[in-house]
Amino acid sequence: MENNFDVIIIGGGPGGYVCAIRAAQLGLKTACIESRGTLGGTCLNVGCIPSKSLLNLSETYHKAQKDFNAQGIEFTGLKLNLDKMMANKNKSVQVLTKGIEFLFKKNKVTYIKGKGVLFSKNDVVVYEGEKKTSYKSKNIVIATGSGPSTLPGMEIDEENIVSSTGALALKEVPKNFIVIGGGYIGLEMGSVWSRLGSNVTVLEYLDHITPGMDKEISSEFMKILTKQGFKFKLNSKVTSVKNKGDQVEVAFTNNETSEEEKILADKVLVAVGRKPYTEGLNLTKMGIKKDKQGRIEVNKKLQTSINNIYAIGDVIKGPMLAHKAEEEGIAVAEIIAGQAGHVNYNIIPGVVYTSPEVAVVGKTEEELKKENINYKVGKFPFIANSRAKVNNETDGFVKILADNKTDRVLGVHMIGPHTGDMIAEMALAMEFGASAEDIARTCHAHPTHTEAVKEAALAVDKRAIHF
Ligand code: NAI
């Protein structure tokens, strides 16, 4: 009976651990298998959380170096202690991973350490070193996440050629830092090392950064990062990355001119996307179907081709975001418990935690055009927002897209200070089916950055007050 569960979740990342807690709350006998040694998955151990620690600390350092003096905070002897900064980051990670263990105990979730492998529809075998233990479960949830993608012929050594994991643990500030891929990871980690003193060059295959993002935001984002010292080489297809003693040589071809170029750097970050982690689970033998991109196929109820085996998070389609995985984890737990769990994929916010932050939810202008939806645009720049002005953080703007006829908000795209927090209000408004006028008529505290949202909503009807 001890090894018999209602739900076994393979993977203890944001999708898996949240699913486990919700399942246990609903009275299901739940276990979560994790092989990493700590809970929290990529996000907590080597992703979202440690990167946010370094983003926050590097921003403070950068401000102290560049802005404080001019703002009347004078001091001498400012010094970077990278070891201490890394230790601070590691401590935050440790506290948070332990926090999940505590939540498991509190909710009576059994935490099984080891690698889980599917054996049959109701059996999971867990390998931990030499030890092999079998467990039975009425339901199984695959929440194994993803790992970094690489390019053909290039090997990540996590020393000189690093993935996000290595980029979070460099021992010194590289003089020249090349980032392959102008996506979320590249721009966040590029920001960290740029603020700490590296010359950052981003090589991006496409003719713009952050693919899939509203184009106006993405080009403003690139302008702001360029002003901060980033160098961008767009239309650049990286063809090889080679260790050359102390340096790394990156070769790339211009997609338009076919010209080849080679540049050297101390460290190279490969951030060209992530791939679902499905190896060693026994999926093929079990007959669990995958799509062309190697993601596990699921139906609306997140069931795989075997109906008591579910999959959530980065191993299935959709944005590879922790909060999307969490929503799916909760939905699956509720579905297993006989409730109507569901995820609204139209309203999943995305945030790039650079400075300024970029935050988006809903449709982009490009998507609305493609879908032939008539829309109105309301925009408001942070330079006209009093709080942003007094804080000397005036880069960026808020853009609200609303249906031309019904005024319903279809998408919100922002670049500016604190937008990563402000996007929650927009997601909530959209969940409630708000119109731009609803937002415009909602009283927003003064002076706050959130007034930029209210003003953008007013601007949809061409009646912004401060611009
Ligand atoms: P990404 O998909 O966001 O960006 C990868 C970039 O690499 C793309 O712009 C692509 O065009 C480019 N690329 C691909 N092949 C290339 C080549 N040969 N040469 C040059 N450029 C090339 O992937 P990224 O940044 O690695 O992030 C992985 C996942 O993690 C994403 O799904 C992202 O959403 C998620 N993530 C989210 C964060 C957040 O929410 N703040 C932070 C970090 C990651």
Side-chain angles (χ1 to χ4, degrees):
M1 276 312 277
E2 211 181 293
N3 286 0
N4 234 327
F5 292 92
D6 293 319
V7 194
I8 285 185
I9 296 135
I10 307 179
Y17 88 72
V18 167
C19 180
I21 293 173
R22 184 71 188 121
Q25 279 178 351
L26 291 164
L28 300 166
K29 193 178 170 206
T30 308
C32 182
I33 306 168
E34 172 57 59
S35 60
R36 189 187 291 269
T38 49
L39 292 166
T42 299
C43 168
L44 232 156
N45 291 280
V46 285
C48 324
I49 296 298
S51 63
K52 262 78 267 174
S53 169
L54 292 185
L55 278 159
N56 179 46
L57 297 170
S58 62
E59 190 181 357
T60 310
Y61 172 71
H62 191 250
K63 275 188 182 157
Q65 210 177 31
K66 301 268 182 230
D67 302 333
F68 282 6
N69 200 45
Q71 293 165 357
I73 307 166
E74 294 179 1
F75 56 89
T76 49
L78 176 72
K79 207 171 115 213
L80 172 69
N81 184 328
L82 191 58
D83 288 348
K84 257 195 204 169
M85 197 179 270
M86 291 293 176
N88 184 293
K89 172 207 73 174
N90 295 340
K91 180 90 192 131
S92 308
V93 169
Q94 197 193 9
V95 169
L96 287 169
T97 55
K98 285 281 168 214
I100 306 174
E101 278 186 45
F102 162 78
L103 291 174
F104 270 13
K105 280 196 194 114
K106 186 180 155 207
N107 288 283
K108 300 192 172 50
V109 173
T110 304
Y111 172 22
I112 302 169
K113 287 189 183 169
K115 189 166 167 35
V117 180
L118 296 169
F119 188 70
S120 83
K121 189 169 178 289
N122 296 103
D123 294 277
V124 181
V125 176
V126 177
Y127 296 88
E128 196 198 4
E130 301 287 292
K131 216 172 97 195
K132 178 180 162 189
T133 319
S134 298
Y135 296 88
K136 277 208 169 296
S137 186
K138 288 184 192 137
N139 301 281
I140 297 166
V141 182
I142 304 170
T144 44
S146 62
S149 294
T150 48
L151 297 170
M154 138 183 352
E155 218 171 289
I156 291 177
D157 59 19
E158 297 297 10
E159 280 291 327
N160 296 329
I161 305 170
V162 297
S163 70
S164 47
T165 305
L168 286 165
L170 298 182
K171 293 189 181 67
E172 48 191 69
V173 180
K175 189 162 179 289
N176 294 306
F177 187 60
I178 291 180
V179 173
I180 307 177
Y184 280 52
I185 294 183
L187 301 175
E188 287 186 3
M189 290 320 299
S191 289
V192 166
W193 294 107
S194 163
R195 292 167 190 166
L196 297 180
S198 300
N199 299 312
V200 175
T201 305
V202 178
L203 304 176
E204 168 56 50
Y205 179 80
L206 300 172
D207 64 358
H208 59 277
I209 59 168
T210 53
M213 197 176 269
D214 190 277
K215 280 271 178 66
E216 197 180 0
I217 293 280
S218 126
S219 71
E220 180 71 10
F221 190 21
M222 196 171 117
K223 255 190 242 158
I224 293 172
L225 291 174
T226 305
K227 216 164 68 184
Q228 291 175 4
F230 271 64
K231 279 202 195 81
F232 287 97
K233 285 185 178 281
L234 302 179
N235 282 311
S236 299
K237 185 181 178 190
V238 173
T239 49
S240 84
V241 180
K242 285 187 195 138
N243 255 313
K244 299 248 161 170
D246 281 356
Q247 301 246 291
V248 186
E249 183 193 79
V250 181
F252 54 99
T253 315
N254 186 297
N255 293 331
E256 286 175 334
T257 61
S258 300
E259 254 171 58
E260 275 193 34
E261 207 178 315
K262 282 180 184 163
I263 47 176
L264 287 171
D266 306 285
K267 303 281 174 194
V268 173
L269 164 64
V270 183
V272 294
R274 296 178 63 84
K275 54 176 191 292
Y277 189 71
T278 55
E279 292 97 65
L281 284 170
N282 216 9
L283 297 185
T284 318
K285 215 162 161 202
M286 291 280 299
I288 294 179
K289 287 193 194 125
K290 289 199 265 179
D291 64 17
K292 279 186 195 134
Q293 282 114 301
R295 303 172 300 192
I296 297 173
E297 274 183 7
V298 289
N299 62 15
K300 278 208 170 119
K301 288 189 165 176
L302 299 156
Q303 289 165 305
T304 65
S305 34
I306 299 177
N307 66 8
N308 69 319
I309 302 184
Y310 299 77
I312 58 170
D314 288 5
V315 282
I316 64 167
K317 65 179 186 303
M320 288 179 157
L321 297 170
H323 45 276
K324 175 256 192 188
E326 288 184 40
E327 292 306 315
E328 288 173 340
I330 288 175
V332 161
E334 293 179 350
I335 289 165
I336 291 172
Q339 298 186 357
H342 108 290
V343 178
N344 184 353
Y345 289 100
N346 295 319
I347 309 180
I348 294 183
V351 178
V352 195
Y353 298 87
T354 44
S355 181
E357 290 178 338
V358 181
V360 300
V361 65
K363 302 269 188 205
T364 62
E365 277 204 60
E366 292 73 33
E367 284 170 331
L368 292 174
K369 278 182 193 141
K370 211 165 141 197
E371 291 170 29
N372 283 324
I373 297 170
N374 290 326
Y375 61 94
K376 302 178 276 186
V377 186
K379 270 201 289 188
F380 189 80
F382 279 100
I383 194 141
N385 172 273
S386 56
R387 187 65 180 280
K389 191 96 184 104
V390 295
N391 286 357
N392 303 306
E393 295 174 324
T394 51
D395 278 338
F397 59 88
V398 176
K399 169 159 119 175
I400 296 182
L401 306 173
D403 188 281
N404 202 27
K405 215 158 132 201
T406 64
D407 196 38
R408 189 181 176 131
V409 177
L410 303 172
V412 182
H413 307 274
M414 325 190 219
I415 177 163
H418 306 287
T419 54
D421 290 310
M422 282 155 58
I423 201 70
E425 181 195 348
M426 296 296 93
L428 186 69
M430 287 176 70
E431 279 289 358
F432 285 177
S435 62
E437 188 178 352
D438 289 328
I439 299 169
R441 289 195 183 278
T442 302
C443 181
H444 286 71
H446 174 75
T448 62
H449 297 92
T450 66
E451 287 171 287
V453 159
K454 180 189 168 91
E455 290 270 11
L458 284 165
V460 170
D461 200 26
K462 298 189 175 44
R463 55 192 179 101
I465 302 292
H466 294 93
F467 192 69

